[in-house]
Amino acid sequence: MMKFGSPRETAPGELRVALTPEAALQLQKLGYECVIETGAGKAAGFSDEAYRGVGVTVVDSAALLYKTSDVIAKVRPPEAAEVDRLEPGKTLISFFYPAQNKELLEQARSSGATVIAMDMVPRISRAQKMDALSSMANIAGYRAVIEAGNNFGRFFTGQVTAAGKVPPAKVLVIGAGVAGLAAIGTATSLGAITYAFDVRPEVAEQIESMGAEFVFLDFGEEQQDGAATGGYAAPSSPEFREKQLAKFRELAPQIDIVITTALIPGRDAPKLWLADMVTAMKPGSVVIDLAAERGGNCDLTVPDERIVSDNGVIVIGYTDFPSRMATQASTLYATNIRHMLADLTPGKDGVIVHNMDDDVIRGATVTKDGAITYPPPPPKVQAIAAAKPKEKVKEPTPEEKRAQELATFKAQTRNQAGLLAIGTALLIFVGAYAPSSFMSHFVVFVLSCFVGFQVIWNVSHSLHTPLMAVTNAVSGIVILGALLQIGSGNGLVVTLAALSVLIATVNIVGGFLVTRRMLAMFQKS
């Protein structure tokens, strides 16, 4: 049985933990013995006693945990001293950001340990349960709106009170990824007028379905190709960027809260909310920059700080939004880890089977057996890419429309003529062999069909529903026909006529009762 250990996070201000008591119970079912460093979950609301209560061993030091554990799970990328504690045969699971941490990646390779980077989990459908980036981005987007509300001097929703009128806040969300959509949903639910922009126009439907307004750019085909593989946005052309910035300058004076989430993996954050836009905003407005860790989308952003511009705009560059909701963030992250280990432990026997043919495992593995395996090959199952623009259907010319209508008319005429010929032939055949009494009844039946159709079709729907109108008209004709036959000397005909009157009467009465109940639904009590 392998041991799964989670040390206390050493990064300043980090409150999350990679193992929760609930996740420990699930890992034990996979065959793992769980170990945690004392106090590791305290800041996230999980006491040592809570861990001991579910069978987790609590150790006094990180050094002992690294020495005794086969699998080590962290939240933040490891520090150099932590990588030094790794050995061949051990597996480290954490955020790692290999593109930005080349020296750390080389150090991990030389240790001989296997490193699984949770930030490298491919964004394919099967891997959503392990997508820790999305889990944390969801929390960051939600918390960004809460942080904005804490710094904003008004309500989000508009109010009319005896003391005066309060206008609703106007919120602009730049970037409609996971964090952006979470921010849109939260701002909308709080009553703000919410706008959102993204270089991928295919997300417009998602944005509008959440009650926000998508900010379109009039830029030809460029905005229709703003998505890269892997579910992220692609860098924009200089021309598109200028159009984008011009639109933001137009919006800046009327926006109260700006939440920027634009970030491309492996790159510095693009500058989208420039200093002149901040200057154009009203005093008391708020800018929340979720890309602060990679330099920020706003010119004035200072990582991990809250500053106030010369014109009174608050710019927040905190990089620990998920950590500010440590209990929830730890629960989601520990669940992502647990799902990753479920794929790594197919036998549920506490033994890792590192299948490098699996797209998810291969994509997340950055070092293995003394070799660097980053970057991974493209997954066999591609992530959802940008929706291709629909090909424009060529509109037919007036001449082509007339030709199509003429062809349709001729086809319908041929069909009707064929049916008429068949009907005539059947009538001639029946008239040649049927008795004269049958023919007189048959003529009455055909005429009744025509008359009945006209009667039914012209019934007014003003007093009841169209369905009930037609049903009642049919039932009325049935009752009329049955009453004409009820005086017949044939007992069978009398019985059938009586049944027809009964059933049709029930149908009519029931139809009016149903209609009455439907109309009552729209009446004020």
mmCIF file of all heavy atoms in Angstrom, residues 76 136 193 347 434:
data_model
loop_
_atom_site.group_PDB
_atom_site.id
_atom_site.type_symbol
_atom_site.label_atom_id
_atom_site.label_comp_id
_atom_site.label_asym_id
_atom_site.label_seq_id
_atom_site.Cartn_x
_atom_site.Cartn_y
_atom_site.Cartn_z
ATOM 1 N N ARG A 76 0.601 24.966 -4.374
ATOM 2 C CA ARG A 76 1.532 25.849 -5.077
ATOM 3 C C ARG A 76 2.702 25.054 -5.652
ATOM 4 O O ARG A 76 3.020 23.959 -5.175
ATOM 5 C CB ARG A 76 2.066 26.908 -4.114
ATOM 6 C CG ARG A 76 1.027 27.912 -3.632
ATOM 7 C CD ARG A 76 0.933 29.080 -4.573
ATOM 8 N NE ARG A 76 0.068 30.141 -4.051
ATOM 9 C CZ ARG A 76 0.067 31.374 -4.527
ATOM 10 N NH1 ARG A 76 0.871 31.711 -5.514
ATOM 11 N NH2 ARG A 76 -0.750 32.285 -4.021
ATOM 12 N N MET A 136 -10.152 26.490 -9.747
ATOM 13 C CA MET A 136 -9.657 27.684 -9.058
ATOM 14 C C MET A 136 -10.110 28.957 -9.767
ATOM 15 O O MET A 136 -10.395 29.972 -9.121
ATOM 16 C CB MET A 136 -8.133 27.634 -8.976
ATOM 17 C CG MET A 136 -7.578 26.459 -8.176
ATOM 18 S SD MET A 136 -8.179 26.378 -6.465
ATOM 19 C CE MET A 136 -9.421 25.076 -6.579
ATOM 20 N N ILE A 193 -25.782 45.784 -14.201
ATOM 21 C CA ILE A 193 -25.846 45.747 -15.665
ATOM 22 C C ILE A 193 -24.468 45.275 -16.130
ATOM 23 O O ILE A 193 -23.472 45.966 -15.924
ATOM 24 C CB ILE A 193 -26.180 47.128 -16.251
ATOM 25 C CG1 ILE A 193 -27.551 47.592 -15.763
ATOM 26 C CG2 ILE A 193 -26.135 47.099 -17.771
ATOM 27 C CD1 ILE A 193 -27.898 49.006 -16.174
ATOM 28 N N GLY A 347 -6.531 -0.235 -10.475
ATOM 29 C CA GLY A 347 -6.850 -1.431 -9.704
ATOM 30 C C GLY A 347 -7.403 -1.146 -8.326
ATOM 31 O O GLY A 347 -7.785 -2.079 -7.607
ATOM 32 N N ALA A 434 -71.336 -2.684 -56.492
ATOM 33 C CA ALA A 434 -72.061 -2.482 -55.232
ATOM 34 C C ALA A 434 -73.552 -2.316 -55.514
ATOM 35 O O ALA A 434 -73.947 -1.826 -56.581
ATOM 36 C CB ALA A 434 -71.515 -1.240 -54.512
#
